[in-house]
Amino acid sequence: MSLVHRSPEAGFAPGLRPRAAVRRLAFLAALVVTVLISVAPSASAHATVVSTSPSDGQVVATAPTVVSVRFDEPVQMQFGALRVFSPTGSRVDEGSPSHPTGHSDTVEVALTSGLGHGTYTVAWHVISADSHPVSGAFTFSVGSSSATSVSQDTLNAGGSKTVGVLYGIARGVAYGGFALIVGATGFLLYCWPPGGASRRVRAMIAAGWGALVAATLAVLGLQGPYDGGFGLDRVFDTTVLHTTLGTRLGTALAVRLMLLGLYGVGLALLLPKVEKASVNLRIAATSAGAALAIGIAATWAAADHAGVGSQVPLALPLDIVHVMAMGTWLGGLTVVVAALLRPAGADVPVLARAVRRFSTIAACCIGALVATGTYQAWRQVGTLGALTGTVYGRLLLVKLLGVGLLIALGYLARVWIAHYLSGSAGSGSSNKGGSGSGSRSGSSTARSAAVTPDAIAIRQLRRSTGLEVALATGVLAVTAMLVNAPPARTAFAAPVSTTVAFDTGGPNGKGSVQVFVGPAKTGNDTVHIEVVTPSGEPVSVPQLTASLTLPDRQLGPLPVTLSGAGTSHYYGGATIPLAGAWKLAVTVRTDDIDETTVVVPVTIR
């Protein structure tokens, strides 16, 4: 039986020999991993402060009885704290912080009575809705401002870097384990039932189940120290673990462990019977396994980005589809590489049938990944600028590069199948009997089995598919990093660019100011203002000034120093200390007595 109908290079793109293709794709895979490592983010805030009471920097006449912080999404108080320090550094908060009734996005704490004059520091540490810790601080003054002895070390109780690294690794291993148990089991049931007799396949599935259980337990143990900023010595602290189980992620992890218990029992009963199982039994097993797998995938979706923000009823099921497609594709690929294509004397018709079936499944998974991934990118990124302007966006670009390479590798495999396996499956029977070769021909064929064209072609497919598995593993690592990164939509602030008309009331007093403020984030921002006529032509004016105010905090006006007097283009810089809905007031004077002020909204994140 001959598998190859053309040269061994025929299955690859024209002009690209297999070894060259492998080398180039390996280089690209290494590049992806290198970029992945270079842009790996540290854990950072996902919930954003909307307002505080008292306001940051506010001077109040009398001491408040309560301080509060409001966020842009619900936050959890497990491992949380809201501490208030006097000018001397002593604690002046009283009781435990809590949510006001009906306001899960706000935390508050009572203050002791009899507070004296001076500057007080409020430090907060809470858990955002997507299970990540966020922290910060602000100050207010009673009577008048003063010096304070509160140190940054007191305010910023940084967590253990070791805990953070192990936490990220555990989440990545969990994705890999899920892919093995879901994809490998599905591959056996639908594509390759005889593989159920393979010890290698059984070991792979058992390893995937064990890895997911171990990784889930590790995340459960590390979540408390990660959220609370503790060290590794608190991983086995039962008090911390009990608190973790009360969080949203802790509940999801507990549910996942229960579902994994049921999945493990099912695997133990099913795997010995897969090879000889009837079609009805395989359908029933597939249905039950799919239901459990969907439940396990939902434990990721419900506790991460898909479970918070806008369009949650749509985002949750699409995220589950995304995780399921990932697991089915990657797990199936792993079986193809590690078991199906491994034997030197592969049964080519069986191999062809299994790979053809999986090729169809893989194509469907790719379609699902592209569709759901596009929606997730739109939901979490929002604008093109956020793709390059945020850690989340850059990680997403790396993931898209990896997926693109995976699709290219999948295309090479499909070409190989079309050129080799299809013809082989149809010609196998005619090649079995032989005519005129005699026993010597059969003996010679047996002795050269290791170097047959079939073996060469299968080895080529195995290399290509192996690269897919390696690259897909890198994509999984990026996915784990995306879970820990703040969504680009909330982390990125698009520059403000707008045009506002003015009319000073005097001769030639009509026109417009074209305003640009970027990057529209706290810190140093650039301000450009262009004066134009009603027809859009640049025009110089005798004077133009600008200032910034933040009405919500009663802050400002802060003057903006501008250069370019006597021209149509004014430019300068502004240091914006706080996020919020700022107002840029631009005063234009068109002659000695006529002037007007226009206000431009500027959202700073």
Side-chain angles (χ1 to χ4, degrees):
M1 177 175 61
S2 177
L3 184 62
V4 181
H5 304 287
R6 293 183 292 172
S7 65
E9 290 82 3
F12 291 85
L16 186 62
R17 295 177 65 83
R19 292 184 180 179
V22 170
R23 284 196 300 268
R24 293 184 186 184
L25 291 170
F27 171 76
L28 289 174
L31 178 62
V32 169
V33 174
T34 301
V35 174
L36 182 154
I37 295 172
S38 66
V39 301
S42 57
S44 52
H46 293 218
T48 303
V49 174
V50 174
S51 64
T52 64
S53 179
S55 300
D56 187 17
Q58 183 180 2
V59 179
V60 296
T62 58
T65 59
V66 173
V67 297
S68 64
V69 182
R70 184 165 70 90
F71 299 86
D72 62 348
E73 64 181 37
V75 294
Q76 302 174 72
M77 287 306 299
Q78 292 93 335
F79 303 110
L82 188 58
R83 301 169 295 159
V84 185
F85 300 90
S86 71
T88 61
S90 60
R91 291 280 294 273
V92 294
D93 51 282
E94 190 173 57
S96 301
S98 61
H99 296 294
T101 304
H103 294 278
S104 59
D105 60 350
T106 303
V107 293
E108 65 178 14
V109 70
L111 300 180
T112 58
S113 58
L115 298 183
H117 286 193
T119 297
Y120 291 80
T121 304
V122 183
W124 47 268
H125 180 98
V126 296
I127 311 304
S128 65
D130 55 5
S131 308
H132 296 281
V134 296
S135 59
F138 69 95
T139 62
F140 70 92
S141 300
V142 177
S144 60
S145 59
S146 69
T148 176
S149 61
V150 181
S151 66
Q152 288 297 319
D153 292 338
T154 301
L155 300 178
N156 302 324
S160 166
K161 290 185 178 180
T162 303
V163 168
V165 170
L166 292 176
Y167 181 78
I169 291 174
R171 298 194 76 150
V173 170
Y175 281 123
F178 177 80
L180 271 181
I181 62 172
V182 172
T185 305
F187 189 91
L188 286 185
L189 289 171
Y190 182 76
C191 302
W192 190 35
S198 169
R199 291 184 179 179
R200 183 181 298 276
V201 175
R202 292 188 188 183
M204 287 169 51
I205 296 176
W209 184 86
L212 182 51
V213 171
T216 302
L217 290 172
V219 172
L220 187 61
L222 291 166
Q223 183 67 32
Y226 175 75
D227 283 345
F230 310 139
L232 281 175
D233 58 315
R234 303 294 296 275
V235 169
F236 301 103
D237 189 319
T238 54
T239 302
V240 173
L241 180 60
H242 183 268
T243 305
T244 299
L245 289 171
T247 66
R248 192 164 162 216
L249 178 59
T251 302
L253 293 173
V255 171
R256 186 188 301 171
L257 287 172
M258 289 188 289
L259 293 175
L260 282 172
L262 294 175
Y263 205 103
V265 172
L267 289 176
L269 296 175
L270 174 67
L271 289 181
K273 302 177 181 179
V274 169
E275 184 179 10
K276 299 180 180 180
S278 65
V279 173
N280 290 336
L281 177 58
R282 289 206 299 270
I283 292 175
T286 301
S287 301
L292 288 173
I294 290 171
I296 295 172
T299 63
W300 272 288
D304 289 325
H305 294 154
V308 296
S310 62
Q311 303 178 351
V312 171
L314 178 61
L316 274 173
L318 290 183
D319 194 62
I320 292 172
V321 171
H322 194 82
V323 174
M324 287 291 295
M326 173 277 299
T328 303
W329 184 19
L330 179 56
L333 280 176
T334 304
V335 174
V336 170
V337 173
L340 182 62
L341 299 180
R342 190 173 184 86
D347 187 335
V348 176
V350 172
L351 185 153
R353 185 166 53 251
V355 175
R356 273 199 300 267
R357 285 188 172 185
F358 179 69
S359 181
T360 302
I361 294 175
C364 294
C365 289
I366 290 172
L369 286 170
V370 170
T372 57
T374 300
Y375 169 76
Q376 289 176 344
W378 170 82
R379 181 173 180 264
Q380 300 294 354
V381 177
T383 60
L384 290 176
L387 277 175
T388 56
T390 63
V391 170
Y392 188 99
R394 291 190 290 271
L395 280 173
L396 183 60
L397 288 174
V398 173
K399 181 177 179 178
L400 291 175
L401 172 62
V403 171
L405 291 174
L406 281 171
I407 292 174
L409 284 168
Y411 170 76
L412 293 180
R414 290 178 69 87
V415 169
W416 185 91
I417 294 166
H419 287 175
Y420 297 121
L421 291 182
S422 298
S424 169
S427 61
S429 59
S430 63
N431 292 335
K432 284 182 181 180
S435 56
S437 302
S439 60
R440 288 181 299 173
S441 175
S443 176
S444 175
T445 301
R447 288 194 300 269
S448 61
V451 293
T452 61
D454 288 354
I456 296 174
I458 291 173
R459 191 158 56 244
Q460 291 173 1
L461 177 61
R462 188 164 181 264
R463 289 174 181 172
S464 174
T465 313
L467 279 176
E468 285 189 70
V469 173
L471 192 56
T473 303
V475 171
L476 278 186
V478 176
T479 302
M481 292 179 180
L482 281 170
V483 170
N484 276 349
R489 185 182 287 270
T490 57
F492 178 77
V496 174
S497 181
T498 187
T499 300
V500 181
F502 67 83
D503 185 357
T504 64
N508 300 319
K510 291 184 178 181
S512 299
V513 287
Q514 298 175 345
V515 178
F516 173 89
V517 180
K521 295 183 179 181
T522 55
N524 296 325
D525 284 83
T526 301
V527 179
H528 291 267
I529 303 175
E530 181 88 10
V531 185
V532 298
T533 65
S535 62
E537 297 295 324
V539 61
S540 62
V541 294
Q543 187 179 34
L544 184 145
T545 59
S547 62
L548 284 161
T549 59
L550 183 59
D552 290 348
R553 302 289 186 90
Q554 300 178 349
L555 183 62
L558 305 177
V560 179
T561 303
L562 296 172
S563 301
T567 68
S568 64
H569 182 203
Y570 292 77
Y571 58 92
T575 301
I576 304 178
L578 298 173
W582 287 78
K583 304 293 184 183
L584 177 66
V586 180
T587 301
V588 183
R589 184 166 62 83
T590 56
D591 55 39
D592 290 341
I593 59 173
D594 297 309
E595 69 176 35
T596 189
T597 299
V598 295
V599 177
V600 178
V602 177
T603 300
I604 301 296
R605 295 186 181 274

